[in-house]
Amino acid sequence: MLLYEIMAIRKYFFITKLYFERLFAYRARLLVWQSRDLLSFLIFPFIWLTIYGERTDILGYSKHDMVTYYIVAAVVNLIAMSYIARVTQQAINRGDINGILARPVSFLWYQTTQAVSYKLLGCVTIAFIVLGLKLFWPQLFVLPTDPLQILFFLVSLFLAFVLSHLIMLGIGVSAFWFGEINALDQSHDILRTVFAGQIAPLTFYPQFVQTVGNFLPFKFMSYVPAQIYLGRMNVVESLQAILLAGIWVAVLWIFLSVMYKRALRQYEGVGI
């Protein structure tokens, strides 16, 4: 049993190694991807600093809080947001999945390994960015000092990735039935942009939008990790948010598992 587990780990380690080699073979593309994940968020602090003007507070957010919020949102987007839907669709439509299914690896875990590999590179990028901010912009970027707050943030960051990845895998797997996933993918982007708090903190939205957002998983992908990081959620609120995110993970995992099994039953082996 132990030998089987070791061999399984080695398989996915080898996949990670191959994916890293492919990423670094196209370094310009990798740079564009990483920049895309960051720049859309790093523009917002400058806009908000102009809006603040001489004011020191808007709806309970100081200038420091607002700048830090968008920096954290950028960190979460680079580390936690999965973009595996398109890759999954291509593997299904081109028939690449056939070769994967013939190997002793899970197709879903194969896709997950690729997503995690890309996010590991994102962690390195974020480390350099945070270091630069603390050196050149220390007055506007706040680092937490409470170990429990840091722990809750890291857990929320992990759950944000899992939630995003499960949703995107589900969208990708839907290609078994629909072939084309543009509508689903773009609808997801709109919902995530609005309800994850990527445009502005959810507390800035109308009450109706906030209410709708509380029934969706997207707030756990950006807004909640940022709130925990800023210390705007106490221990009980942080634990409640982490528990709810965990429930969403369980629900989405069950849904994806059922969806994938049904997809394989009716799969016709495109590209064979």
Side-chain angles (χ1 to χ4, degrees):
M1 186 66 179
L2 178 61
L3 179 61
Y4 176 80
E5 292 177 354
I6 293 174
M7 292 299 294
I9 293 173
R10 288 185 63 185
K11 286 186 297 187
Y12 294 108
F13 178 79
F14 182 70
I15 294 170
T16 301
K17 179 176 177 292
L18 289 177
Y19 189 69
F20 274 141
E21 291 176 356
R22 189 170 69 181
L23 282 174
F24 284 110
Y26 302 95
R27 289 181 288 274
R29 185 176 65 180
L30 177 61
L31 178 62
V32 171
W33 285 351
Q34 300 267 298
S35 300
R36 176 201 61 189
D37 291 341
L38 286 170
L39 291 179
S40 59
F41 290 94
L42 298 182
I43 292 172
F44 282 112
F46 297 100
I47 297 174
W48 277 101
L49 288 175
T50 302
I51 294 172
Y52 270 88
E54 298 300 321
R55 287 178 290 185
T56 58
D57 184 279
I58 297 179
L59 293 181
Y61 282 79
S62 67
K63 290 182 179 181
H64 298 78
D65 290 341
M66 191 60 73
V67 171
T68 303
Y69 177 88
Y70 283 105
I71 293 173
V72 173
V75 169
V76 174
N77 191 67
L78 186 59
I79 294 178
M81 292 303 104
S82 175
Y83 300 100
I84 202 66
R86 294 280 179 189
V87 179
T88 303
Q89 178 206 19
Q90 291 173 0
I92 294 169
N93 289 348
R94 295 175 181 175
D96 297 341
I97 186 176
N98 301 323
I100 300 172
L101 292 176
R103 302 171 191 169
V105 296
S106 163
F107 174 66
L108 295 183
W109 279 108
Y110 182 89
Q111 299 300 92
T112 299
T113 302
Q114 293 189 65
V116 170
S117 301
Y118 178 69
K119 294 308 170 184
L120 289 175
L121 292 178
C123 291
V124 176
T125 302
I126 287 298
F128 282 107
I129 290 174
V130 170
L131 179 62
L133 288 170
K134 287 307 296 178
L135 288 175
F136 302 106
W137 207 359
Q139 72 278 10
L140 284 178
F141 182 59
V142 182
L143 284 174
T145 56
D146 183 357
L148 198 58
Q149 182 183 347
I150 296 173
L151 175 63
F152 287 154
F153 171 70
L154 293 177
V155 173
S156 70
L157 193 62
F158 170 75
L159 290 173
F161 169 73
V162 177
L163 280 170
S164 174
H165 184 66
L166 289 175
I167 292 173
M168 295 304 282
L169 264 182
I171 293 174
V173 169
S174 69
F176 277 110
W177 291 277
F178 305 130
E180 181 55 62
I181 63 168
N182 276 338
L184 286 174
D185 195 22
Q186 291 174 10
S187 297
H188 165 266
D189 287 344
I190 293 171
L191 291 172
R192 189 186 70 191
T193 300
V194 174
F195 293 108
Q198 294 182 352
I199 298 175
L202 293 184
T203 50
F204 283 66
Y205 292 178
Q207 187 59 48
F208 170 74
V209 178
Q210 294 184 46
T211 302
V212 173
N214 286 330
F215 288 96
L216 299 173
F218 300 104
K219 70 176 184 178
F220 300 107
M221 298 180 193
S222 187
Y223 176 73
V224 168
Q227 295 299 95
I228 293 175
Y229 185 95
L230 290 169
R232 301 177 69 87
M233 299 177 72
N234 59 36
V235 173
V236 174
E237 291 170 336
S238 298
L239 287 174
Q240 288 176 340
I242 288 172
L243 176 61
L244 286 173
I247 292 173
W248 268 110
V249 166
V251 170
L252 289 171
W253 173 252
I254 293 171
F255 178 78
L256 176 63
S257 298
V258 173
M259 181 181 178
Y260 179 64
K261 288 177 181 177
R262 291 187 176 181
L264 288 183
R265 289 196 198 106
Q266 57 89 49
Y267 180 51
E268 297 177 350
V270 176
I272 294 179

